[in-house]
Amino acid sequence: MNLNERLMAKPGTTPDLTRLNPGATPGVKGKKAAAGLLKRNIDRLNELQYLLYAENKHAVLVVLQAMDAAGKDGTIRHVMAGLNPQGCSVTPFKVPSDEERDHDFLWRIHKAAPRIGEFGIFNRSHYEDVLVVRVHSLVPPEVWSKRYEQINAFEKLLADNGVTILKFFLHISKEEQKRRFRKRLEDPRKHWKLSQKDFDERAFWEDYMQAYTEALARCSTPWAPWYIIPSDRKWYRNLAVSQIIVEVLEQLDMQFPPPGMDVSRFRLE
Ligand code: ADP
């Protein structure tokens, strides 16, 4: 199973989101098989994180973007379950504060970038500045249209400084979102998650898909590829994200650094 290549938005191409089925499960037999594979990936991720910290040469940045209820939180909970909290940070990006708005749009993002040896997870990201901002005309087109290149240059800077970047678009269908919102309405423990604004955003679905398509087409680069994850089935989403992270980290060929001195000369009384 090589999901890294299979689900990557090929740099230089434009994905057709209307033809990519969010309910598909490419490369995986079924839910039962997926549970064992996810467990294996979570364990492997834990080992790779240990190696990442020990080697101290790379950082890993995982970016999660999606429509509401697609499962950004669930992905973090399930896939990152095996990570050592020491050495991992999760940063959610909300509506910018006054201070953030008084800076360029990448200011708050750059500050949250993971340090070498560590894992950083972005729950939403700088892509909001070409998604919600574009859909709702929060800045003029002359401003947001320049951001694709600015994002690519910024991500290149991070990549050149040792950050391995993986960007996941959790792709759900409008119908699946409705099902999930309805389930939340039926569960009093989920009511805190609901907002009329989230429901109202459904009216802009097509605009969001257009904005996502352009972000995926213009900002999937060899140094910071986008992955389009079919996410109507949670088990597939979790397995695919974990699998791709493991595959990419394996390719880094990380090694434990040699000890500072000849270990055979240590004396332990
Ligand atoms: P979440 O949905 O991620 O769990 P919230 O319900 O607090 O968390 O939503 C965060 C909101 O912040 C989203 O509506 C998102 O579009 C918005 N947001 C994030 N970044 C920006 C930005 N740069 N400009 C405007 N809105 C943004």
Side-chain angles (χ1 to χ4, degrees):
M1 176 177 33
N2 184 328
L3 294 185
N4 171 32
E5 281 178 23
R6 199 145 172 184
L7 298 181
M8 186 191 291
K10 299 279 169 301
T13 65
T14 301
D16 183 352
L17 292 178
T18 60
R19 295 191 54 192
L20 288 172
N21 177 8
T25 61
V28 186
K29 290 231 167 61
K31 193 172 175 176
K32 262 210 179 122
L37 294 170
L38 175 63
K39 166 93 179 59
R40 196 193 60 188
N41 285 345
I42 288 172
D43 291 346
R44 184 67 188 131
L45 213 51
N46 184 267
E47 292 167 1
L48 287 163
Q49 183 196 16
Y50 185 67
L51 194 50
L52 180 84
Y53 186 77
E55 192 193 44
N56 202 31
K57 251 171 72 179
H58 303 276
V60 179
L61 173 59
V62 173
V63 171
L64 295 170
Q65 280 291 158
M67 298 299 282
D68 283 318
K72 296 191 296 343
D73 295 339
T75 304
I76 294 171
R77 209 169 43 246
H78 289 101
V79 176
M80 313 301 173
L83 293 183
N84 179 352
Q86 183 163 278
C88 173
S89 60
V90 182
T91 313
F93 291 98
K94 312 266 179 182
V95 176
S97 66
D98 286 345
E99 190 190 19
E100 288 169 345
R101 220 186 291 276
D102 285 343
H103 290 84
D104 70 86
F105 76 106
L106 292 169
W107 181 72
R108 65 176 182 161
I109 308 292
H110 205 164
K111 279 203 298 185
R115 58 198 294 175
I116 294 296
E118 299 197 351
F119 245 89
I121 299 159
F122 285 179
N123 184 344
R124 302 186 187 270
S125 65
H126 40 306
Y127 284 93
E128 291 292 324
D129 293 282
V130 290
L131 294 167
V132 65
V133 166
R134 167 177 167 160
V135 169
H136 290 291
S137 305
L138 302 181
V139 299
E142 309 84 82
V143 175
W144 61 251
S145 61
K146 290 201 185 99
R147 290 183 171 166
Y148 301 96
E149 277 182 31
Q150 292 166 347
I151 287 173
N152 288 344
F154 166 68
E155 291 178 350
K156 185 81 169 67
L157 171 80
L158 294 187
D160 286 347
N161 284 279
V163 185
T164 293
I165 306 171
L166 302 109
K167 302 180 297 198
F168 296 100
F169 168 52
L170 310 180
H171 183 33
I172 57 162
S173 61
K174 199 175 174 189
E175 299 73 50
E176 178 63 19
Q177 188 196 52
K178 193 173 192 177
R179 261 193 297 278
R180 293 186 188 180
F181 278 160
R182 196 172 283 139
K183 271 185 101 175
R184 288 182 185 180
L185 279 169
E186 288 164 2
D187 182 352
R189 293 177 319 157
K190 298 256 169 83
H191 286 174
W192 66 274
K193 275 193 174 191
L194 297 172
S195 81
Q196 185 59 45
K197 198 181 134 280
D198 290 351
F199 293 176
D200 295 344
E201 283 300 272
R202 286 172 57 74
F204 298 93
W205 191 276
E206 299 310 320
D207 298 333
Y208 272 108
M209 289 308 112
Q210 217 179 331
Y212 267 110
T213 300
E214 191 158 350
L216 294 164
R218 296 185 63 179
C219 299
S220 194
T221 55
W223 58 89
W226 269 110
Y227 297 94
I228 304 173
I229 309 294
S231 295
D232 274 5
R233 295 169 205 259
K234 295 176 183 176
W235 62 263
Y236 184 80
R237 176 201 73 201
N238 293 339
L239 177 60
V241 171
S242 67
Q243 176 72 22
I244 290 167
I245 299 174
V246 167
E247 285 173 15
V248 170
L249 295 196
E250 300 276 15
Q251 285 170 10
L252 291 180
D253 194 24
M254 295 184 283
Q255 305 291 333
F256 286 107
M261 68 171 279
D262 183 355
V263 177
S264 67
R265 294 178 59 200
F266 284 138
R267 290 285 168 265
L268 182 62
E269 301 304 334

